[in-house]
Amino acid sequence: MTHQDTTPEPVADKATEDSTTGATGSAAVAPAVPTASTDPTKWGRVDADGTVYVRTADGERAIGSWQAGDAAEGLALYARKFDDLLTEVELLETRLRTHAGDPKHTLTNAKHLHESLAEAAVIGDLAALNARIEHLLVRAEQAVEGAKHEKEQARADAIARKEALVTEAEQIAAEATHWKSAGDRLREILEEWKKVRGVDRKTDEQLWRRFSKARDAFSRRRGSHFAELDRQRAAAKAHKQELVEEAESLTESTDWGDTANRYKQLMAEWKAAGRAPKDSDDALWQRFRAAQDRFFSRRSEAFSERDAEFAANAKLKEELLVEAEQIDPSTDLKAAQAHLHRIQERWDEIGKVPRERMRDLEGRLRAVGDKVRNAADAQWRRSDPEAQARVDQFRERVEQFEAQAEKARAAGDERRAKKAQEQADQWREWLSAAEQAIASR
């Protein structure tokens, strides 16, 4: 470090200038101290008998004796000792400025220098050095207070952090149901906990007890959950075992409809039963599916045979229809009726046809039957025109009253509509009786 060496008066030394915020927040500049070794005669002397003196504000003070040689060498020696003290002060200032070391140690060393300065065997500007040390003392005391405040703040921050970790752990213990991620988070909290420093022992122990209690509560709740899960899975296993045994007992059934429905019910019960232990669940499922596949494979084979039979039946009925559609009731009604009756008997004997062919085939046979019936009805009407006239008259009256009811409803006259509908219903009864009378002849 370069020292000012031109005057003993305290002035600002740019090399040692140090702005420090004090209790009031104002900046302070360290007093300058001249280097003594550049001109020791300015600060002391050696008399003829070798006594060494340093000049102070109170006058000269004897600090030692120099008998080894030239007086200038003695002055230089004591001046270098002064400069060593100044260097020591500057080192302490640097520690404060760079926050190196404990401020308390710096304050202790500064006090020691200050106390020893009055009797120090050195030559230099003692007043300036004393002012510099006093400035250092103020700064050191401020640094101690600052460090104390920082320590208290760090302690408060550490407590707050551990409080937050404890609160999170307690929330996990009370609410978490994602057991793996919650357990992982508790382990992470523990690792974070270990890294937080600066909490006093009493507070740390209190927070640790809360954290430990939360971890224990989580472990108990998780243990209870998995114990209950084990019970549920054991029950599911037992139930699924029963379902598998029933499914296997149905594999040879030929009651295709009811058995297929029962398999659907068994599947619904399987899904509702919940999960069994994984190894058991997989094995039971394989047996259950195998039983299902066995039954439905047999049913598919049976349906394939049935479909082939139905297709053959459909071909036979098509051949019958060709014969039936050639019946002509206009030439010989009784012969036509007898022929149709024989075809219907043979039709029933043939049996079922594929579902998609049923409507077409039945419709064609029904058309032949309608043709024969219509011919019979026409012949009967020709034989009893008076009875048919009454039937036609009754039908006409039904249609008239129904038309009146519909017209009244359209006009919003429900009373007239109801009355007309009642009359239509009455005539319909008479119509039905007349038609039945004709049909019974």
Side-chain angles (χ1 to χ4, degrees), residues 86-149:
L86 176 57
T87 299
E88 189 172 348
V89 171
E90 290 172 343
L91 288 174
L92 294 176
E93 290 173 338
T94 300
R95 289 180 183 177
L96 289 180
R97 184 173 62 253
T98 60
H99 305 287
D102 186 351
K104 286 184 178 181
H105 294 163
T106 302
L107 178 60
T108 299
N109 291 335
K111 287 180 177 180
H112 177 71
L113 286 173
H114 190 254
E115 292 170 356
S116 64
L117 189 61
E119 301 297 328
V122 296
I123 289 178
D125 190 345
L126 293 176
L129 183 57
N130 185 69
R132 183 70 166 262
I133 294 174
E134 289 179 347
H135 178 268
L136 173 61
L137 288 170
V138 173
R139 289 182 56 209
E141 289 172 351
Q142 292 173 349
V144 168
E145 287 299 316
K148 180 181 178 182
H149 175 73

Side-chain angles (χ1 to χ4, degrees), residues 356-426:
E356 65 274 11
R357 298 294 313 280
M358 189 179 301
R359 175 180 292 185
D360 174 55
L361 296 174
E362 294 288 347
R364 288 172 62 185
L365 182 62
R366 191 180 305 111
V368 175
D370 290 344
K371 183 172 68 172
V372 174
R373 263 192 310 277
N374 291 339
D377 290 345
Q379 185 182 50
W380 184 86
R381 284 194 297 273
R382 287 192 298 271
S383 65
D384 190 359
E386 184 178 347
Q388 185 60 43
R390 282 197 301 274
V391 169
D392 294 339
Q393 181 182 14
F394 289 169
R395 183 177 290 107
E396 181 180 355
R397 295 292 286 171
V398 169
E399 292 172 353
Q400 288 176 354
F401 284 117
E402 284 185 338
Q404 291 177 12
E406 184 63 26
K407 184 176 181 181
R409 275 193 291 271
D413 191 342
E414 290 297 325
R415 186 181 63 79
R416 288 180 57 200
K418 181 178 180 181
K419 183 176 180 181
Q421 186 62 53
E422 290 174 351
Q423 290 175 316
D425 293 341
Q426 181 62 60

Side-chain angles (χ1 to χ4, degrees), residues 41-63:
T41 58
K42 191 179 294 185
W43 316 108
R45 68 184 179 86
V46 179
D47 65 7
D49 62 2
T51 302
V52 182
Y53 294 92
V54 62
R55 298 185 185 97
T56 70
D58 298 328
E60 290 186 333
R61 175 170 61 84
I63 59 172

Side-chain angles (χ1 to χ4, degrees), residues 246-310:
E246 182 176 354
E248 290 174 339
S249 71
L250 296 174
T251 56
E252 302 304 318
S253 172
T254 56
D255 188 357
W256 310 117
D258 289 345
T259 304
N261 289 334
R262 182 53 186 156
Y263 271 116
K264 291 180 181 178
Q265 294 171 359
L266 291 175
M267 176 63 78
E269 291 182 40
W270 181 280
K271 293 178 179 178
R275 289 192 61 82
K278 182 172 177 56
D279 54 346
S280 301
D281 207 53
D282 292 343
L284 289 171
W285 174 247
Q286 294 300 323
R287 289 175 58 190
F288 186 77
R289 285 299 303 271
Q292 279 188 314
D293 292 346
R294 168 64 180 163
F295 168 77
F296 285 107
S297 176
R298 289 180 56 253
R299 189 183 70 160
S300 295
E301 293 174 0
F303 281 5
S304 295
E305 295 176 0
R306 184 197 63 182
D307 290 344
E309 179 185 346
F310 285 4

Side-chain angles (χ1 to χ4, degrees), residues 331-377:
T331 57
D332 188 342
L333 178 60
K334 288 186 176 181
Q337 289 174 328
H339 192 181
L340 177 60
H341 180 69
R342 289 192 300 273
I343 288 176
Q344 288 173 332
E345 288 180 341
R346 291 162 59 193
W347 183 279
D348 292 338
E349 291 173 356
I350 290 173
K352 296 181 179 180
V353 299
R355 184 184 300 272
E356 65 274 11
R357 298 294 313 280
M358 189 179 301
R359 175 180 292 185
D360 174 55
L361 296 174
E362 294 288 347
R364 288 172 62 185
L365 182 62
R366 191 180 305 111
V368 175
D370 290 344
K371 183 172 68 172
V372 174
R373 263 192 310 277
N374 291 339
D377 290 345

